[in-house]
Amino acid sequence: MTGSRKLLIFGGIALAAFGMLYGLQYALFVEHQTLDHMGGSLAQSFAAAASRNLAQSQAALEQYGDTKYDYVRQVDAHSHWIGLAMLMIVLGVIFQRVNFSEGIRQLVAFSLLAGSALFPLAIILQTYHHGAMGLKALAVVSSGLVIAGLTATAWGFARPRTAA
Amino acid sequence: MPATPKSFPDRASSAPAKPALALAPHFAPMSARRLYIFGGIALIAAGLLFGDIFAVFILHQNAALQGEALIAASRAVAAGNAAAVNDVFSHLGNVLEDRGTKVDAHVHMIGAGYLALLLALVQPYIALSRQTKKSLATLFIAGGVFLPVGIFLIHYVGLTGSPFTAIGWASVLADSAGALLILVLIVQAWGFRQYLRSRQLSEPELPALERSGDSMPRRALLTGGTILVLLGFLHGAYYAGTLLYEHERMETEILQRLINAATSGNLDVVTTEVNNFGGLAAARAVNIAAHSHIIEFGLLAMLLSFVQPFVFLSEKWKRRWVKLLLGGSVILPVFVLLELKLGLLAGGIADVGGLMVLVGLVGMLVGILRYSGGLDVENYVESDAAEGAL
């Protein structure tokens, strides 16, 4: 088995297991509390408005927005880690059909693995630093790595067979 | 009694190009690979069916209930009744939990099915005993069934009889099933590490595309799947880059305007803002659904390309199922996106797209069942013949 296939299959299985572990710990220790907090903040915002306490209502609404911002990204990171991992395993099984030299295949595989690991990580880190430009840039670059890797893979599939 | 092995099925019109036993070592009776393929396709088909039922009978009705709850909460705000607000939000929480757990059950059932198909592919590289692999496959399929069932039950079981403050028994079931899947994956990773050290395949690899006599369906699925995944990635990047942050900002702005209008007793503006909120929720939902479905269907097509040699149907029927599956894979996400412009008509067409994928998938599953059943009969006849010769 070539190095590029090993990288994709082993990396994919490891990333899938990591994504699932992350989802499990989130479901066990964070999710229910976060959902309660999110619903509670929105309810509190309306209740405060009913009591004509508009400052408290606005503060609770902002809290709702922040909590939802975090929740959406936590769930997105979990699903993207596992989804991208599955794609890597599939590609790993057929990567010998990508008609490039093994050196280029390894570069493409590394691009896919690095992008798949870093993209969800950048999403999660945004929950600690809302709107940080550096983390947004990391998310853009890492997703670009995955898209570039997949485009190269599709091109490799389409290229005529050579002895390479 | 001696018997003469014969090819199956009897009807020549439906016979595949290759003799069934040519691929027998790849698909041993009750092997881990067989369990993963059957279990995986069954989980995906069940998840798709559940998703279609959910989309037709629950999704839109649930969205209407959310809008009604927000109107009721705004009326309570206008009346200065904080207790009524809390009652409404308690009800809204139930409505959202009802929707969320069903979406999660749908997603996790299909996800577990995909992973099962993936594990079927990598079985040759897992250096574990045949019995261990079979046990792992059984555990994985069991986990793949109990995880979505547990998630589905969360809304109905709640915290009944639970010793925990936030987690009910259904959550415990779902989390335990999830842990089981993780455990199986970790053991598989360990088995793969063992393979890398020994370099010995534990069973034959799946037949390569080049060696397959029925390569058109495989190639169409592989190429189509790759394109679908790429399109999904590009759409996701577009959504994240141009709409995600704007939608998040708009949500709090709409809610703020809604609360202000309710406080001042302006119920006409309240209704307008609730409609805006519903429209925004719909815009987010259709974009996320289109993104996730097109990628999932692309991945499914790629995975199904590997199992085509085991689909024991005529070339004509194989092509039909492939066209149906790929057609549905395009129709569903495209018409989900068009729901914002065309309304329920597009929603209905999207549901038909989902049904097309489901029918294509079940058609292939039937072909695989025919293959395995025929293979087992041939094995039985051969062993019977060997005994007779003795």
Side-chain angles (χ1 to χ4, degrees), chain A:
Chain A
M1 183 186 275
T2 58
S4 53
R5 293 182 71 194
K6 271 188 240 171
L7 199 63
L8 287 171
I9 293 179
F10 194 69
I13 292 178
L15 203 59
F18 179 78
M20 291 172 111
L21 269 174
Y22 187 83
L24 181 65
Q25 72 80 27
Y26 186 75
L28 277 176
F29 303 115
V30 187
E31 188 177 23
H32 296 282
Q33 295 85 333
T34 304
L35 287 172
D36 281 348
H37 192 235
M38 200 159 76
S41 301
L42 191 57
Q44 194 187 356
S45 176
F46 275 73
S51 307
R52 301 299 182 258
N53 187 344
L54 294 184
Q56 195 189 0
S57 169
Q58 187 167 358
L61 188 59
E62 282 170 12
Q63 209 168 42
Y64 163 78
D66 287 348
T67 310
K68 188 161 186 186
Y69 180 99
D70 291 351
Y71 177 71
V72 166
R73 278 156 184 77
Q74 296 279 357
V75 173
D76 274 357
H78 162 63
S79 58
H80 279 87
W81 258 323
I82 297 173
L84 290 167
M86 290 198 293
L87 181 65
M88 283 201 301
I89 300 171
V90 173
L91 293 177
V93 174
I94 49 171
F95 217 58
Q96 75 281 7
R97 286 186 47 79
V98 174
N99 197 21
F100 294 127
S101 67
E102 176 54 20
I104 294 178
R105 281 203 294 248
Q106 284 192 11
L107 194 66
V108 174
F110 182 75
S111 167
L112 284 167
L113 179 59
S116 301
L118 288 177
F119 173 55
L121 181 67
I123 293 175
I124 282 196
L125 289 176
Q126 284 181 40
T127 64
Y128 298 103
H129 307 281
H130 287 199
M133 280 311 292
L135 295 173
K136 282 185 186 175
L138 180 62
V140 170
V141 170
S142 50
S143 62
L145 282 175
V146 176
I147 291 174
L150 191 62
T151 307
T153 305
W155 184 27
F157 282 144
R159 285 183 80 198
R161 304 287 291 173
T162 65

Side-chain angles (χ1 to χ4, degrees), chain A residues 1 5-6 9-10 13 16-17 20-21 24 27-28 31-33 36 39 42-43 45-47 49-52 54 57-58 61 64-65 68-69 72-73 78 80 82-84 86-87 89-91 93-94 97 126 136 146-147 150-151 154 157 161, chain B residues 70 73-74 77-78 80-82 85-86 89 108 111 114-115 118 121-122 125 166-167 171 175 179 181-182 185 189 192 195-196 199 205 209-210 219 222 226 229-230 233-234 237 244-245 248 251-252 255-256 258-259 263 284 291 299 302-303 306:
Chain A
M1 183 186 275
R5 293 182 71 194
K6 271 188 240 171
I9 293 179
F10 194 69
I13 292 178
M20 291 172 111
L21 269 174
L24 181 65
L28 277 176
E31 188 177 23
H32 296 282
Q33 295 85 333
D36 281 348
L42 191 57
S45 176
F46 275 73
S51 307
R52 301 299 182 258
L54 294 184
S57 169
Q58 187 167 358
L61 188 59
Y64 163 78
K68 188 161 186 186
Y69 180 99
V72 166
R73 278 156 184 77
H78 162 63
H80 279 87
I82 297 173
L84 290 167
M86 290 198 293
L87 181 65
I89 300 171
V90 173
L91 293 177
V93 174
I94 49 171
R97 286 186 47 79
Q126 284 181 40
K136 282 185 186 175
V146 176
I147 291 174
L150 191 62
T151 307
F157 282 144
R161 304 287 291 173
Chain B
L70 275 180
S74 302
V77 169
N81 188 345
V85 166
N86 286 326
F89 273 95
H108 283 84
Y114 285 167
L115 267 175
L118 282 170
L121 297 183
V122 299
Y125 316 118
I167 300 175
S171 289
D175 293 340
L181 297 184
I182 293 169
L185 271 189
F192 185 65
Y195 159 77
L196 290 179
R199 306 282 171 156
E205 287 183 290
L209 284 171
E210 295 81 359
R219 286 179 195 281
L222 191 59
T226 310
V229 171
L230 196 54
F233 279 6
L234 291 172
L244 177 65
Y245 290 94
E248 284 178 334
E251 182 179 355
T252 44
L255 285 170
Q256 187 66 68
L258 176 65
I259 289 169
T263 310
R284 292 171 82 164
H291 168 63
L299 198 56
M302 291 168 84
L303 286 169
F306 296 104

Side-chain angles (χ1 to χ4, degrees), chain B residues 1-7 20-22 24 374-390:
Chain B
M1 180 182 135
T4 309
K6 61 179 180 179
S7 296
L21 276 175
L375 195 64
D376 294 349
V377 168
E378 283 204 15
N379 282 335
Y380 175 77
V381 169
E382 280 206 337
S383 62
D384 202 30
E387 279 176 21
L390 285 173

Side-chain angles (χ1 to χ4, degrees), chain B residues 204-333:
Chain B
E205 287 183 290
L206 284 172
L209 284 171
E210 295 81 359
R211 292 199 298 270
S212 174
D214 52 355
S215 60
M216 180 272 163
R218 297 190 77 182
R219 286 179 195 281
L221 286 169
L222 191 59
T223 310
T226 310
I227 292 169
L228 286 172
V229 171
L230 196 54
L231 286 174
F233 279 6
L234 291 172
H235 174 260
Y238 162 76
Y239 176 73
T242 60
L243 296 173
L244 177 65
Y245 290 94
E246 191 193 344
H247 282 173
E248 284 178 334
R249 183 180 51 76
M250 282 170 70
E251 182 179 355
T252 44
E253 284 177 3
I254 291 172
L255 285 170
Q256 187 66 68
R257 288 201 300 268
L258 176 65
I259 289 169
N260 290 342
T263 310
S264 58
N266 190 340
L267 293 181
D268 287 340
V269 176
V270 162
T271 307
T272 305
E273 294 303 339
V274 167
N275 286 337
N276 288 341
F277 189 81
L280 176 65
R284 292 171 82 164
V286 297
N287 273 287
I288 292 170
H291 168 63
S292 58
H293 280 94
I294 198 166
I295 292 176
E296 281 171 10
F297 288 152
L299 198 56
L300 177 63
M302 291 168 84
L303 286 169
L304 290 172
S305 74
F306 296 104
V307 299
Q308 288 307 300
F310 305 129
V311 177
F312 195 65
L313 297 171
S314 68
E315 183 73 5
K316 188 173 71 177
W317 274 102
K318 279 175 143 184
R319 288 181 186 217
R320 278 180 185 161
W321 295 138
V322 167
K323 284 175 190 167
L324 199 65
L325 189 129
L326 287 177
S329 300
V330 174
I331 287 171
L332 187 144

